[in-house]
Amino acid sequence: MTKLTFAAHPFLLGFDQLERLVERTAKTGNDGYPPFNIEQSAENGFRITLAVAGFREDDISITVEERQLVIRGRQAEEAEDARVFLHRGIGARAFQRSFVLAEGVEVAGARMENGLLHIDLVRAVPEKVVQTIRITRG
């Protein structure tokens, strides 16, 4: 039995790349760590906020790979005898969070504040283009 996809519809010509982005997004691990918010900060601006308590700026890397924003975090190893935990409730495991960026969305900047990592995104407004196609005879 063949798998039918939305890009196979005859009215959706050339949307195979969009289908690949949807599949890639569905495959990304979604274990809920670290928790995050996405908010609209302006008409064409967005902000992703991740709760990264215990991580320093040097422990986190932010990259854009093929229109996919990837945030990775790994805390530096500490000496085994430096601290003795009676209870450890603050997450210290490594993480990777991915977000697929739409065409024209770029990362404007990132900053850490009170255990929160803020990543600002800006969407460029595309110019409206009207193209007239001339019909030729036979």
Side-chain angles (χ1 to χ4, degrees):
M1 183 172 180
T2 60
K3 176 184 166 189
L4 288 177
T5 61
F6 76 91
H9 193 280
F11 295 144
L12 298 174
L13 298 174
F15 282 88
D16 52 335
Q17 184 177 3
L18 177 63
E19 182 177 20
R20 285 193 300 272
L21 287 172
V22 170
E23 287 179 3
R24 186 170 62 186
T25 302
K27 289 179 184 177
T28 59
N30 191 10
D31 63 354
Y33 181 77
F36 66 93
N37 292 336
I38 301 175
E39 59 188 288
Q40 187 165 4
S41 57
E43 185 178 342
N44 290 310
F46 306 94
R47 173 175 277 181
I48 299 172
T49 301
L50 287 92
V52 291
F55 287 85
R56 298 176 310 209
E57 291 90 350
D58 296 337
D59 298 335
I60 298 173
S61 71
I62 303 169
T63 58
V64 177
E65 304 166 7
E66 297 179 11
R67 291 186 17 208
Q68 187 168 7
L69 174 66
V70 180
I71 301 110
R72 294 180 180 95
R74 179 177 299 277
Q75 289 183 340
E77 298 289 328
E78 296 183 19
E80 291 293 323
D81 57 352
R83 295 189 281 181
V84 176
F85 290 98
L86 300 178
H87 172 75
R88 189 164 188 167
I90 299 173
R93 66 181 192 246
F95 69 87
Q96 177 173 319
R97 260 298 170 196
S98 300
F99 301 91
V100 176
L101 301 178
E103 188 75 32
V105 174
E106 295 185 11
V107 178
R111 64 183 172 90
M112 292 275 287
E113 179 181 38
N114 300 326
L116 298 174
L117 173 64
H118 301 288
I119 302 171
D120 293 317
L121 306 172
V122 177
R123 178 178 47 203
V125 180
E127 293 182 24
K128 294 185 180 184
V129 177
V130 177
Q131 184 178 7
T132 303
I133 309 299
R134 190 169 156 235
I135 302 172
T136 58
R137 288 188 179 201

